[in-house]
Amino acid sequence: WLNRRWPLTELGALYRETAALPIALYLLLWIWISNIVSAGVATPLPYLPLLNPLELGQLLVLMACALWWRDSSFTQYLSARVVLGGLAVLVLALLTGMVLRSVHHFADVPWESAALVRSRVAQAALSITWALCAVGAMIVGNRRHLRAVGLAGAGLIVVVLLKLFTVDLADHGGLYRVISFMGVGVLILLVGYFAPIPPGE
């Protein structure tokens, strides 16, 4: 209905692309900043992963930006692989923020970077979450013969392994360290058997 009204009838492309570009950039910046600084407090409502004002807002903004990008002419300046790669990084960052906020609210870990780094629960949760994402990427890459996706999953597995030996290993003899190593190890064995990296095209 609005598209049939002036000035959208004559200057629709200008409004949809040029005028909307700074808004889209601002919203993407808001997603990153809010994901880092906000603990997702929604008093008097309890915190529920995904079902809270912060993460629902982030999801809506992400969907709005994706729809705007799909219908804009800016798609010709960046390859689909670059855009999808950036989107994957952003989604992983949002998932990481959600996991840390869940640890903050449900395990009473202070919303501070130092406390979250020292938290055994937070580090174990991140290791398993990242490993699950890596396994998912490798399975998708294998099933759909997308080598880049499979390699991205394998790269994330390497990051998880480095984290296990540099961060999680500092928890000497801790239960959560054992859970991290066992969980990631089982996932790596399963993905290596069921979804090896597809051959090059």
Side-chain angles (χ1 to χ4, degrees), residues 124-140:
L126 281 183
S127 295
I128 294 176
T129 300
W130 289 354
L132 284 171
C133 291
V135 168
M138 294 180 72
I139 291 176
V140 169

Side-chain angles (χ1 to χ4, degrees), residues 7 10 12 52 55 63 79 81-82 85 91 102 111 113 121 130 133 137 144 153-154 159 164 166 170 174 189 196:
E10 299 179 10
N52 62 83
E55 287 157 16
M63 291 173 60
S79 68
R81 180 171 294 185
V82 171
V91 170
S102 298
W111 185 252
S113 57
V121 180
W130 289 354
C133 291
R144 299 192 178 182
V159 172
L164 285 175
T166 58
L189 289 175

